[in-house]
């Protein structure tokens, strides 16, 4: 038995499974290619990549697979560089730096990559799928991608966002439930007003738009896939499930925390980046909580915590790491990406037959 949908037909893949485009080094070319070679859709999380690095990642992935894969970018949003907020945050961050043997770094030359140059790298590469989060890609760029045969996918956390994306002409929509790990893709209302669970969000978006809907958030096995299909999804996007794969670039301490998560709680926090994101609760989140409401905007705060996160990851100090994870993290498994795709489809088939 298989699950063939408009998504699989449009993308030319065997299974309606998308490996979520997790930025920050997790989605290595090896992981993306392995997922695509297994018949699903691998995704490069390129939100933080410099344009030249992105072009290199696309080229490396293309050498490792002749199957379709996606590239994801963050839609830039307005932000302010508030020096008072930066200083207040750094006063608290310096205590963590002291524990890690770090000095406060100099102010970064820039707070985010050049989106125009990133986009041009994707457009010039002619990738099969482009996905975006944190906002809506403008119509001229959507049409430019589609003119080169690229499927354009947007991310919505509410019905209103899904309708806006559909009106702009995207080909597919990821319905990101509040269960999902990592950054919230919210761009119309506040993150707090857009915390709708996957099982509630997917059928509402499926009823509201005429493009395929991809369920994302809390899907870790074949049971979750079957449930999403019943709710009207044409496929699923899974992040936490692939974080612990052999080919994942996640730090060893991050993988270990996921595999040992059990019923460890997750939290939605702005502590690491200034933008709401879900991860395993830890000391950094708890100690930053009192000043969370006054942190600098994203991506400003994200740049100022980079030294702490990087050093903690190298030292396996998970108390200071952004351990992004969805609410079903306790179901994480360690295996190669191809084995995971095969396992998911076998579980799905057994569930549907049962």
């Amino acid at each position: 038995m298989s699950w063939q949908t408009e998504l699989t037909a449009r993308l030319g893949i065997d299974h309606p499974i998308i490996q979520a485009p997790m930025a920050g080094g997790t989605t290595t070319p090896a992981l993306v290619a392995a997922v695509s070679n297994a018949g699903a859709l691998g995704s490069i999380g390129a939100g933080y990549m410099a344009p030249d690095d992105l072009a290199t990642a696309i080229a490396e992935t293309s050498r490792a697979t002749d199957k379709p894969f996606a590239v994801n970018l963050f839609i830039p949003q307005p932000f302010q560089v508030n020096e008072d907020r930066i200083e207040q945050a750094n006063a608290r961050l310096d205590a963590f730096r002291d524990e890690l043997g770090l000095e406060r770094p100099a102010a970064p030359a820039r707070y985010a990559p050049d989106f125009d140059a990133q986009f041009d790298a994707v457009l010039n590469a002619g990738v099969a799928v482009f996905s975006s989060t944190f906002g809506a890609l403008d119509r001229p760029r959507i049409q430019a991608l589609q003119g080169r045969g690229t499927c354009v996918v947007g991310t919505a956390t509410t019905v209103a966002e899904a309708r806006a994306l559909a009106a702009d002409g995207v080909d597919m929509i990821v319905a990101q439930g509040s269960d999902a790990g990592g950054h919230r893709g919210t761009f119309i209302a506040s993150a707090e007003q857009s915390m709708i669970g996957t099982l509630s969000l997917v059928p509402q978006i499926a009823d509201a738009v005429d493009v395929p809907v991809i369920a994302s958030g809390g899907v870790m096995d074949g049971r979750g896939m079957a449930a999403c299909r019943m709710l009207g999804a044409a496929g699923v996007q899974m992040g936490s499930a692939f974080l612990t794969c052999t080919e994942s670039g996640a730090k060893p301490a991050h993988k270990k925390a996921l595999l040992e998560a059990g019923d460890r709680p997750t939290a939605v926090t702005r502590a690491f980046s200034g933008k709401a994101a879900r991860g395993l609760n830890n000391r950094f989140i708890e100690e930053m909580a009192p000043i969370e409401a006054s942190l600098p905007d994203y991506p400003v705060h994200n740049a100022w915590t980079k030294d702490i996160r990087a050093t903690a990851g190298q030292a396996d100090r998970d108390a200071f790491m952004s351990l992004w994870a969805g609410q079903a993290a306790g179901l994480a498994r360690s295996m190669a990406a191809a084995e995971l795709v095969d396992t998911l489809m076998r579980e799905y088939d057994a569930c549907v037959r049962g």
Side-chain angles (χ1 to χ4, degrees), residues 244 252-264 280 318 329-333:
T244 50
H254 192 173
K255 291 184 179 183
K256 183 175 184 289
L258 286 168
L259 293 170
E260 297 177 356
D263 60 357
R264 179 177 175 178
L280 294 174
D318 70 358
L331 299 175
R333 299 171 282 195

Side-chain angles (χ1 to χ4, degrees), residues 77-126:
Q77 298 294 301
F79 65 90
Q80 293 184 342
V81 180
N82 185 311
E83 297 296 342
D84 290 338
R85 289 192 171 202
I86 291 172
E87 180 56 36
Q88 180 188 41
N90 268 319
R92 183 66 62 97
L93 294 174
D94 284 344
F96 300 122
R97 293 186 179 111
D98 287 344
E99 285 195 51
L100 294 168
L102 298 171
E103 297 290 335
R104 184 187 295 189
R110 63 182 306 142
Y111 286 107
D114 183 335
F115 178 78
D116 291 338
Q118 287 181 317
F119 180 82
D120 287 345
V122 176
L123 184 66
N124 293 335

Side-chain angles (χ1 to χ4, degrees), residues 272 301-303 305-314 320-322:
F272 289 102
H301 186 60
N302 190 65
T305 65
K306 183 178 180 180
D307 62 326
I308 295 170
R309 291 179 283 114
T311 301
Q314 293 167 359
F320 309 115
M321 294 171 62
S322 50

